[in-house]
Amino acid sequence: MKDKLINNQLKLITTFVVIVGIGIIIKNSNIHFPGNFEGYEPKQPIAFSHQLHAGEMTIPCMYCHFGAEDSKHAGIPPANVCMNCHEFVNNNTNENKIAEKLGRKVEVSPEINKIYESFGTSEKNYEDKSPTEWVKIHNLPDFVFFSHKPHINAGIDCEKCHGDVASMTRVKQVNDLSMGWCLDCHRQDHESLNNTKERKSQLQDCATCHY
Ligand code: HEC
Ligand code: HEC
Ligand code: HEC
Ligand code: HEC
Ligand code: HEC
C-alpha cells in the first residue's frame, strides 16, 4: 500500500519534470505552434536591428514595409532594398575605417556578408538567388481575415499593434492577436468611421474577420 503510494508520487514527479522540461525546450527553440504568441522573439538568420535602422537612423517603416499601405501584407523587404545602402556600407567598425584610410584590405562584416551571399554571386546582379529565410513572428490562424490596408489608411500607427519596434534590437510580438484584442479596438470610436452605428457594428460582425 505504502509502496504503491510512493510509486504513484514518483510517476507524478517524473511526469511533472518531463512536462516542464519540454516547456523549457520549446520556449528556447524556434518551434512555433498556432495560438497566442505574445512575447515571441525568435532569433533571425541575419542580426538585423530595428533599433539601429528604424530608431537611430530613423529609416521610415514604409521604406522597407511598403506593402502595408495597399495590401494585406506589410511584407519583409527583399535584399535589393538592403543593397540600396549595403552595396556601400559593408563594415562600420572603427578598425575598418582605419584600415580603409591606410589603404588596407577591408573586411566585410559577417552579418552584412550574409546579404551578399543571398545573391549567390560576388557580382551584385540584384537577383536574389537564395533569399534570407526570416522567421515569421506574427501569425494569425488561416480562418481569420486581416489586412493592413484598411488599418493604415485609417491612420492607425504600426506601434499601436506592434509596440515600439524602433527600440527593438530583435522584434518581439507584444500583443496576443486574440479575437478579444481585435474586438477591443473595433468597439472603440474611430474618426475614420464617422462613428456611425452601422459601420461600428459591421466591424464586430463575424463575417468581417471570418470568411
Ligand atoms: C531597413 C528596413 C526596415 C525598416 C526601416 C523597418 N523594418 Fe521591420 N523588418 C525588416 C526586416 C528585414 C524584418 C525581418 C527580420 C526581423 O524580424 O527583424 C522586419 C520585421 C518586422 C516585423 C515582424 C514581422 C513578422 O515576422 O511578424 C514587424 C512587426 C516590423 N518589422 C515592423 C516595423 C516597424 C513598425 C518599423 C518602423 C518603426 C519597421 N519595421 C522598420 C526591415 C525593416
Ligand atoms: C491593426 C493592427 C496592426 C497595425 C496597425 C499594423 N499591423 Fe502589422 N500585423 C498585424 C497583424 C495582426 C499581423 C499578422 C498578420 C497575419 O498573420 O496574417 C501583422 C503582420 C505584420 C508583418 C509580418 C508580415 C506580414 O505582412 O504579414 C509585418 C512586417 C508588419 N505587420 C509590419 C507592420 C508595419 C510596418 C505597420 C505600420 C505601417 C503595421 N504592421 C501596422 C497587425 C497590425
Ligand atoms: C538607408 C540605408 C540602409 C538600409 C536600407 C539598410 N541598412 Fe543596414 N545598416 C546601414 C548602416 C549605415 C549601418 C551601419 C550603422 C553603424 O554600424 O553605425 C547598417 C548596419 C547593418 C548591420 C550591422 C552591421 C554589422 O557589422 O553587423 C546589419 C546586419 C544590417 N545593417 C543589415 C541590413 C539588412 C538585412 C537590411 C535590409 C533589410 C538593411 N541593413 C538595410 C544602413 C542601411
Ligand atoms: C488599434 C485598433 C484596431 C485593432 C487592434 C484591430 N483593428 Fe481592424 N480595424 C480598425 C479600424 C478603425 C477599422 C476601420 C477602418 C476604416 O474603414 O476606416 C478596421 C477595419 C478592419 C477590417 C476591414 C473591415 C471592413 O469592412 O472594411 C478588418 C477585416 C479588420 N479590421 C480585421 C481586424 C483583425 C482580424 C484584427 C485583429 C487581428 C484587427 N482588425 C485589429 C481598428 C483596429
Ligand atoms: C475583429 C475581428 C474578429 C471578429 C469581428 C470576430 N472574430 Fe472570431 N476570431 C478573431 C481572431 C483574430 C481569432 C483567432 C484568435 C486566436 O488565434 O487566439 C478568432 C477566433 C475565433 C474562433 C476560434 C476559437 C477561439 O476563440 O480562438 C471562433 C469560433 C470565432 N472566432 C468565432 C467568431 C464569431 C462567432 C464571431 C461573431 C460573433 C467572431 N468570431 C467575430 C477575430 C474576429
Side-chain angles (χ1 to χ4, degrees), residues 44 48 50 59-61 64-65 134 136-138 158 162 165:
Q44 297 289 350
F48 172 81
H50 279 79
I59 308 175
C61 310
C64 290
H65 300 291
W134 303 105
K136 196 165 188 299
I137 301 161
H138 301 77
C158 315
H162 293 298
V165 176

Side-chain angles (χ1 to χ4, degrees), residues 46-49 52-53 56-57 59 63-64 77-79 81-86 89-93 109-112 115 134:
I46 300 178
F48 172 81
S49 164
L52 178 65
H53 291 84
E56 277 178 47
M57 290 193 266
I59 308 175
Y63 181 87
C64 290
V81 174
C82 314
M83 287 301 270
N84 289 344
C85 297
H86 286 292
V89 182
N90 58 17
N91 187 325
N92 216 46
T93 60
S109 139
E111 292 303 316
I112 289 172
I115 306 175
W134 303 105

Side-chain angles (χ1 to χ4, degrees), residues 3-17:
D3 273 2
K4 207 175 163 204
L5 204 74
I6 292 177
N7 224 334
N8 278 344
Q9 277 177 339
L10 265 179
K11 270 190 201 150
L12 218 71
I13 291 168
T14 315
T15 315
F16 180 74
V17 168

Side-chain angles (χ1 to χ4, degrees), residues 59-158:
I59 308 175
C61 310
M62 284 298 187
Y63 181 87
C64 290
H65 300 291
F66 44 83
E69 215 163 16
D70 318 298
S71 63
K72 193 170 180 295
H73 292 289
I76 301 298
N80 332 1
V81 174
C82 314
M83 287 301 270
N84 289 344
C85 297
H86 286 292
E87 182 163 8
F88 314 104
V89 182
N90 58 17
N91 187 325
N92 216 46
T93 60
N94 278 330
E95 299 88 68
N96 189 60
K97 282 178 193 149
I98 294 164
E100 228 171 357
K101 281 205 183 110
L102 296 175
R104 293 207 189 113
K105 193 171 171 287
V106 173
E107 293 283 335
V108 175
S109 139
E111 292 303 316
I112 289 172
N113 199 44
K114 290 181 190 168
I115 306 175
Y116 301 159
E117 276 172 352
S118 81
F119 290 94
T121 161
S122 53
E123 292 150 53
K124 293 156 194 161
N125 63 359
Y126 293 92
E127 194 195 324
D128 202 359
K129 294 240 170 70
S130 50
T132 305
E133 288 180 19
W134 303 105
V135 181
K136 196 165 188 299
I137 301 161
H138 301 77
N139 285 294
L140 283 172
D142 288 342
F143 58 84
V144 179
F145 177 78
F146 175 84
S147 170
H148 279 85
K149 188 180 175 181
H151 296 97
I152 304 310
N153 291 341
I156 300 171
D157 292 334
C158 315

